[in-house]
Amino acid sequence: MKRRTVIVSLLAFNLTLLGSIAPALADRWEYLGERSVRLVTERDVIPVRTGKQFARLKLEVKETGIEILSMTVTLRNGVTLNTPMRQYIGKNKQSRVIDLPGRDRSIRYVTLIYRSRPGSTERAIVKLYGKTR
């Protein structure tokens, strides 16, 4: 009888633990790719190698801050989604969350348009993250 009580207690504990972990896992952002951008140019492309469907995107910037003017998301079905951003993202900071409209949101690549700094030798690393829900 004691053995059965212990087993039932362990099962209940595991179910409780799984119930608390599941929302945390659903809230995770998936790394999709990155690009080391030279601030002398004005455009860069981040290819996305997964075929998953994403509902939201965000950017993270390392090394130095960068002003993103716009972002174009090209889907695997050929549709392009233009997103004006006009956002300065500081070093080690993240952009706002960008919601993707529609149903077929499998991303082929993301094109970033940003403000150049003539004569600059600086580089920023821009990382792209996606969320399925």
Side-chain angles (χ1 to χ4, degrees):
M1 188 67 164
K2 287 183 182 182
R3 182 175 179 195
R4 183 175 181 180
T5 304
V6 169
I7 291 172
V8 169
S9 296
L10 286 174
L11 285 173
F13 175 75
N14 286 339
L15 288 175
T16 303
L17 185 62
L18 285 175
S20 64
I21 291 175
L25 291 176
D27 197 40
R28 290 179 48 188
W29 288 85
E30 184 174 336
Y31 171 81
L32 301 179
E34 69 183 57
R35 181 66 73 203
S36 175
V37 301
R38 290 182 15 189
L39 299 183
V40 176
T41 59
E42 298 175 340
R43 162 186 300 241
D44 272 291
V45 175
I46 301 174
V48 176
R49 308 244 187 265
T50 180
K52 291 183 180 178
Q53 306 277 329
F54 293 96
R56 294 177 186 89
L57 298 176
K58 71 177 176 180
L59 301 171
E60 181 179 34
V61 175
K62 301 289 185 181
E63 303 297 325
T64 189
I66 185 172
E67 183 179 3
I68 307 286
L69 302 176
S70 68
M71 180 170 83
T72 302
V73 179
T74 303
L75 303 176
R76 295 202 183 280
N77 65 5
V79 172
T80 58
L81 306 170
N82 296 314
T83 305
M85 290 194 58
R86 301 244 186 249
Q87 181 181 6
Y88 177 81
I89 307 170
K91 177 181 177 180
N92 299 324
K93 301 290 182 187
Q94 296 179 350
S95 72
R96 63 182 170 84
V97 174
I98 297 102
D99 290 320
L100 299 177
R103 295 182 65 204
D104 183 13
R105 299 172 298 207
S106 179
I107 302 166
R108 182 179 299 159
Y109 58 88
V110 172
T111 304
L112 301 173
I113 307 294
Y114 50 89
R115 189 171 311 277
S116 64
R117 298 180 192 160
S120 175
T121 58
E122 293 180 291
R123 288 186 177 266
I125 297 173
V126 180
K127 296 183 177 193
L128 177 66
Y129 292 91
K131 196 172 187 182
T132 56
R133 299 190 253 170

